[in-house]
Amino acid sequence: MPNKHDHSLLASLTKRCYFAGRAVMDAALRAHDIGSTQWFVLHHLALSGPMMQRDLVDLLQVERATLSVIIRELVRKGLVEQVPVERDARRKMLQMTDAGKALWDQLPNFETLIHATAFGEIPEADIAAAIRVLSIATERLTNLSLKGDRT
Amino acid sequence: MPNKHDHSLLASLTKRCYFAGRAVMDAALRAHDIGSTQWFVLHHLALSGPMMQRDLVDLLQVERATLSVIIRELVRKGLVEQVPVERDARRKMLQMTDAGKALWDQLPNFETLIHATAFGEIPEADIAAAIRVLSIATERLTNLSLKGDRT
DNA sequence: TCATGTTTGTTAGGCATCAAACAAAGATGT
DNA sequence: ACATCTTTGTTTGATGCCTAACAAACATGA
């Protein structure tokens, strides 16, 4: 039977693993003067082409307010443009500028490297179990937040 | 064989799970005007009694600079004291004030609740596998950061 | 003794995140 | 048509985290 100690350890590891991964990304990106989430935005725009800011919110799983600040930075750096959308003045379409594309081509592909470093050579069954555990935990915690809304 | 997609999903889940857990804690603590890491400091001080600030850095697994700011807030709120240590003027001993103890007694025990919510009813073997995966990943990523130091 | 190295805590600057509140614009229903 | 609801993005203020650079104090060794 799993005990409190296991649960506490797993919670702590979840946090440490997240920050350890981000530290590696941040260190690699520092020379290019962009942060880890800024990299993810460029990543999605490079792979999928221009997209609505609203859709990127869902892809990145962050709040609108969070993305708004990230985009503001990328726009300030001249890497991304916010293009007005016809027929709906609320929405903004995001697309990389030429400078953004040029920077992207310079960046190494750390995503694969980091994932291989972190999870390579680990049994498939363990990876699958970890995904099950974190999926369920995330869903339950999210539901708990929603329920607590009406307080 | 585990593929890139699995690894990417797991990385994303690690982040989302961490923030989902923190959101639950923050929501519960907002009424008491303390943040989640501030809660962890009180937790350790309540359970172990006064301790050196340096030792708390290791327990919480954060940087000295990070803890310094957290403690500054708790001191400002009158919940914790930094007591000078004899024989070593660099160090500071942390202890809860009476107000800190009073607040602590008011707080519900969410740690158990949150862990039970997140991980309850999940097979022991899955929990153990998740711990293995995240332990290894965290260690490897940390080593990668250290190696990259000399750049 | 005294120069040098290490440890401890702080400050400054930056990124990422959230909640709350706002504004603008589209959508809906009567 | 018009009032109301919903959607989208922004701003503000907070927490938490990091690195880099500093200062103070301790430790060590020549």
Side-chain angles (χ1 to χ4, degrees), chain B:
Chain B
M1 54 207 77
N3 57 43
K4 284 184 186 179
H5 185 262
D6 289 331
H7 292 173
S8 182
L9 175 59
L10 182 49
S12 161
L13 274 171
T14 302
K15 171 181 177 178
R16 284 167 53 197
C17 191
Y18 162 63
F19 280 108
R22 225 184 81 171
V24 172
M25 283 198 70
D26 284 343
L29 290 169
R30 196 161 302 134
H32 304 279
D33 196 33
I34 60 175
S36 51
T37 304
Q38 293 170 31
W39 181 89
F40 275 108
V41 171
L42 296 182
H43 175 73
H44 283 293
L45 290 179
L47 264 62
S48 306
M51 64 176 63
M52 295 298 159
Q53 186 165 327
R54 182 63 184 77
D55 295 331
L56 199 48
V57 163
D58 294 331
L59 283 177
L60 294 180
Q61 291 269 188
V62 295
E63 292 299 313
R64 293 197 314 278
T66 301
L67 184 58
S68 186
V69 178
I70 304 276
I71 299 296
R72 182 211 290 161
E73 268 309 286
L74 288 171
V75 169
R76 187 185 63 76
K77 291 172 183 169
L79 303 174
V80 166
E81 278 175 328
Q82 286 178 308
V83 182
V85 176
E86 289 187 26
R87 299 173 168 285
D88 194 341
R90 291 171 304 182
R91 296 169 128 178
K92 296 181 180 174
M93 194 184 67
L94 302 178
Q95 64 182 25
M96 294 175 84
T97 62
D98 289 343
K101 288 173 191 164
L103 174 61
W104 182 253
D105 290 337
Q106 283 187 337
L107 297 178
N109 183 350
F110 1 72
E111 212 200 8
T112 303
L113 170 65
I114 290 179
H115 291 163
T117 299
F119 305 123
E121 310 294 319
I122 293 179
E124 182 181 6
D126 280 9
I127 300 284
I131 290 176
R132 280 198 300 276
V133 171
L134 294 187
S135 292
I136 293 173
T138 303
E139 189 191 345
R140 289 181 183 170
L141 290 169
T142 303
N143 287 339
L144 194 59
S145 289
L146 293 180
K147 277 182 192 164
D149 258 359
R150 40 184 166 76
T151 304

